[in-house]
């Protein structure tokens, strides 16, 4: 180690306390920091030869970069679907780095058991039985990627081959059918060698983003396929009828993957849980954790009932890693080999706050979204683009012009709101109409924040 590193090992408690103090100050200031900032490029410095030491590096970060960072973990950042980090989740994240485990194999530590326990807790949270297994990945995109990789293997075997073993060359094109697929489904199809054109849109129910089951049945007539069902679309948080979709398998076999990135959390509220009826009949499921569980980036889980297909795709056999055995190591289940103990923040969040803690955050977000929806409907300045089904509100100025002029006004509104710094919303195109999206998914968002959002909307409405 360098002399500087040796010195820092000696003064470790002081230095780590300094870093912790900086993190704590950030967390406490979060509600009053600008929700988002206009990005400004920071002039680069050359790589240090000697290094500044941790204390000076921290000061440099605070001075040059921190001012340009968004309070995306704070209560009025309502863009995309963005969670923050609860205290327990953050502590788990710090400890994941301090312990620096690689839960790839079970040769040297019981860290993989912690990941398995956390997966079992999450399965129970979403009503999935013991036949389900899973693993941690970086986000819903990777979770969808894994689910579609399993679907690809299943489908290639239906057609007499094995994509994992022989590739796709001797097979007819594999189809992915979906009503309103998230953009990450196209990305996963590209990464999996299926091609973006494998994703075929199936008509939706009138006025809905949910797939029309009869139209899906008709599309399936052409042969087996991978079906991507949605449990929570990003604009109108619509849910496919999972039971009706699963029932179609009596006519034609297909792989049923459910993208429940944030919609899975509807399972925590008795009045919304029926939206997920049939979820346990899927073959693979995607759930994001850095959204509504409020663990820091990056974390998601992929679930499946077909671990045999998962090892067929992701096995990484080498003499020093041992056999697959009864309980395959994670190295044989995930796209990565080495990876961090990504389960630890979620494990801490669930052990510290339990089902009720997770449900409280979901309930609060849904109530705030519904209150915003009522406020919009109660006035004449804005109008809803879709009913508020869960935690996302899609709305637009009542007098928005059509076409490019409407789009330009929405962009101007997003920019004005961002530059004022109080709230951050993202633009969207829904059903051919440009509009704004407010997604409630942060554990710290309170009714007072909703009032501040309404105040901001009133101020920019003339734009
Ligand atoms: C957010 C989201 C994704 C992608 O998630 P990442 O965590 O950004 O990879 C996929 N599907 C749905 C429905 C989502 O909401």
């Amino acid at each position: 180690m360098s002399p500087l590193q040796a010195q820092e090992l000696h003064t470790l408690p002081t230095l780590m306390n300094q870093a912790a103090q900086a993190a704590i100050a950030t967390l406490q200031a979060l509600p009053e920091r600008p929700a988002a900032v206009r990005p400004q490029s920071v002039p680069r410095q050359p790589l240090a030869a000697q290094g500044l030491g941790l204390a000076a590096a921290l000061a440099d970060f605070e001075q040059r970069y921190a001012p340009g960072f968004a309070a995306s973990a704070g209560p009025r950042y309502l863009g995309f679907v963005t969670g923050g980090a609860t205290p327990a989740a953050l502590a788990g994240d710090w400890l994941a780095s301090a312990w620096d485990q690689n839960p790839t194999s079970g040769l040297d530590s019981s860290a993989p058991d912690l990941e398995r326990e956390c997966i079992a807790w999450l399965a129970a949270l979403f009503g999935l039985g013991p036949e389900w297994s899973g693993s941690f990945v970086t986000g819903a995109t990777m979770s969808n990627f894994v689910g579609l990789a399993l679907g690809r293997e299943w489908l290639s075997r239906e057609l007499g081959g094995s994509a994992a073993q022989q590739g796709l060359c001797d097979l007819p094109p594999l189809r992915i059918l979906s009503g309103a697929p998230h953009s990450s489904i196209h990305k996963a199809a590209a990464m999996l060698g299926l091609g973006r054109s494998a994703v075929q849109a199936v008509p939706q129910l009138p006025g809905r983003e949910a797939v029309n089951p009869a139209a899906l049945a008709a599309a399936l007539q052409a042969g087996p396929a991978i079906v991507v069902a949605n449990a929570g679309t990003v604009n109108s948080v619509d849910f496919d009828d999972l039971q009706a979709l699963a029932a179609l398998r009596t006519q034609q076999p297909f792989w049923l993957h459910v993208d429940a990135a944030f919609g899975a959390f509807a399972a925590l509220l008795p009045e919304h849980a029926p939206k997920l009826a049939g979820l346990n009949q899927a073959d693979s499921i995607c759930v994001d954790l850095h959204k509504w569980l409020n663990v820091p980036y990056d974390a998601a889980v992929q679930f499946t009932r077909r671990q045999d297909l998962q090892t067929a795709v992701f096995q990484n056999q080498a003499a020093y890693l041992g056999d697959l055995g009864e309980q395959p190591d994670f190295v044989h289940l995930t796209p990565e080999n080495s990876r961090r103990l990504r389960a630890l923040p979620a494990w801490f969040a669930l052990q510290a706050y339990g089902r009720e803690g997770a449900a409280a955050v979901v309930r609060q977000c849904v109530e705030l979204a519904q209150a915003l929806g009522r406020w919009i409907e109660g006035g004449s300045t804005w109008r809803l683009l879709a009913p508020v089904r869960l935690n996302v509100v899609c709305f637009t100025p009542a007098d928005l012009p059509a076409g490019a002029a409407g789009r330009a006004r929405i962009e101007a509104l997003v920019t004005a709101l961002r530059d004022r710094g109080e709230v951050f919303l993202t633009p969207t195109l829904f059903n051919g109409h440009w509009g704004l999206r407010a997604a409630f998914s942060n554990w710290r968002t309170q009714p007072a924040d909703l009032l501040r959002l309404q105040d901001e909307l009133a101020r920019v409405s003339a734009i």
Side-chain angles (χ1 to χ4, degrees):
M1 70 179 78
S2 76
L4 196 51
Q5 288 160 349
Q7 192 190 321
E8 300 215 331
L9 189 55
H10 264 300
T11 49
L12 194 69
T14 315
L15 290 170
M16 287 298 136
N17 276 323
Q18 264 179 5
Q21 289 309 320
I24 294 164
T26 302
L27 292 171
Q28 287 184 317
L30 217 42
E32 298 312 323
R33 283 185 63 107
V37 291
R38 177 187 288 267
Q40 279 171 3
S41 66
V42 176
R44 274 197 205 160
Q45 290 185 357
L47 171 67
Q50 298 297 329
L52 308 175
L54 171 51
L58 183 59
D60 184 46
F61 166 74
E62 295 281 355
Q63 193 228 320
R64 289 198 304 133
Y65 279 101
F69 280 18
S72 48
R76 288 182 311 285
Y77 186 99
L78 307 172
F80 312 103
V81 181
T82 307
T86 56
L90 185 60
D93 199 67
W94 287 354
L95 288 169
S97 293
W99 281 96
D100 202 16
Q101 302 288 289
N102 182 358
T104 286
S105 94
L107 283 176
D108 62 337
S109 119
S110 54
D113 281 341
L114 182 142
E115 180 161 346
R116 289 191 191 99
E117 180 171 78
C118 192
I119 294 282
W121 289 350
L122 289 161
L125 205 59
F126 304 123
L128 304 175
E131 69 278 22
W132 289 87
S133 63
S135 66
F136 270 76
V137 288
T138 49
T141 300
M142 283 311 286
S143 178
N144 281 331
F145 170 82
V146 173
L148 294 186
L150 306 185
R152 182 187 64 172
E153 183 59 14
W154 174 86
L155 185 50
S156 66
R157 290 184 185 192
E158 285 292 301
L159 299 170
S162 164
Q165 210 52 45
Q166 287 112 27
L168 300 166
C169 292
D170 296 332
L171 296 170
L174 307 186
R175 300 182 303 148
I176 299 172
L177 306 174
S178 186
H182 185 268
S183 52
S184 60
I185 298 298
H186 301 87
K187 184 169 178 168
M191 291 195 285
L192 286 163
L194 302 175
R196 291 173 191 270
S197 62
V199 185
Q200 297 178 9
V202 180
Q204 301 159 2
L205 292 169
R208 299 268 308 269
E209 281 188 302
V211 74
N212 181 335
L216 181 62
L220 281 165
Q221 299 271 306
I226 300 168
V227 171
V228 175
N230 294 298
T233 54
V234 289
N235 272 327
S236 68
V237 197
D238 212 340
F239 288 72
D240 287 352
D241 182 341
L242 301 177
Q243 271 174 322
L245 266 48
L248 297 176
R249 281 191 291 205
T250 54
Q251 293 153 39
Q252 172 70 266
F254 57 88
W255 181 267
L256 182 55
H257 173 77
V258 180
D259 183 352
F262 62 98
F265 286 84
L268 303 188
L269 304 184
E271 66 275 32
H272 291 288
K275 294 184 165 80
L276 291 160
L279 182 66
N280 57 8
Q281 294 175 58
D283 298 299
S284 54
I285 302 171
C286 152
V287 184
D288 234 335
L289 303 176
H290 52 219
K291 287 176 180 165
W292 232 350
L293 189 61
N294 280 264
V295 303
Y297 290 106
D298 41 22
V301 61
Q302 62 75 215
F303 290 109
T304 186
R305 293 189 290 157
R306 292 294 305 271
Q307 199 178 62
D308 59 318
L309 295 181
Q310 194 159 348
T311 52
V313 177
F314 294 106
Q315 64 178 282
N316 186 76
Q317 268 173 325
Y320 68 93
L321 289 170
D323 294 331
L324 285 183
E326 279 286 289
Q327 180 172 262
D329 285 336
F330 284 108
V331 71
H332 302 303
L333 298 171
T334 50
E336 310 87 356
N337 280 355
S338 298
R339 63 199 178 103
R340 70 194 259 102
L341 185 55
R342 186 166 283 119
L344 200 51
W347 186 95
F348 263 86
L350 293 171
Q351 189 68 312
Y353 310 125
R355 167 185 280 273
E356 277 313 308
V361 174
V362 174
R363 184 170 298 115
Q364 174 180 304
C365 290
V366 171
E367 281 171 10
L368 290 168
Q370 287 175 346
L372 176 60
R374 286 193 297 274
W375 179 80
I376 287 169
E377 285 189 307
S380 54
T381 314
W382 309 90
R383 71 181 178 91
L384 289 179
L385 285 177
V388 182
R389 291 197 176 86
L390 208 61
N391 61 325
V392 178
V393 186
C394 256
F395 62 105
T396 200
D399 58 352
L400 191 79
R407 177 181 192 166
R409 181 159 169 216
I410 292 297
E411 278 167 7
L413 283 166
V414 167
T415 307
L417 288 167
R418 181 199 64 198
D419 291 350
R420 292 174 55 80
E422 276 282 295
V423 298
F424 183 64
L425 307 182
T426 35
T428 195
L429 180 66
F430 181 71
N431 236 343
H433 299 281
W434 285 96
L436 299 166
R437 262 178 94 254
F440 294 83
S441 30
N442 189 292
W443 68 294
R444 290 174 75 167
T445 313
Q446 298 292 320
D449 296 303
L450 180 60
L451 294 179
R452 286 167 74 167
L453 167 62
Q454 290 165 355
D455 208 41
E456 285 297 292
L457 289 175
R459 280 169 201 270
V460 299
S461 62
I463 285 175

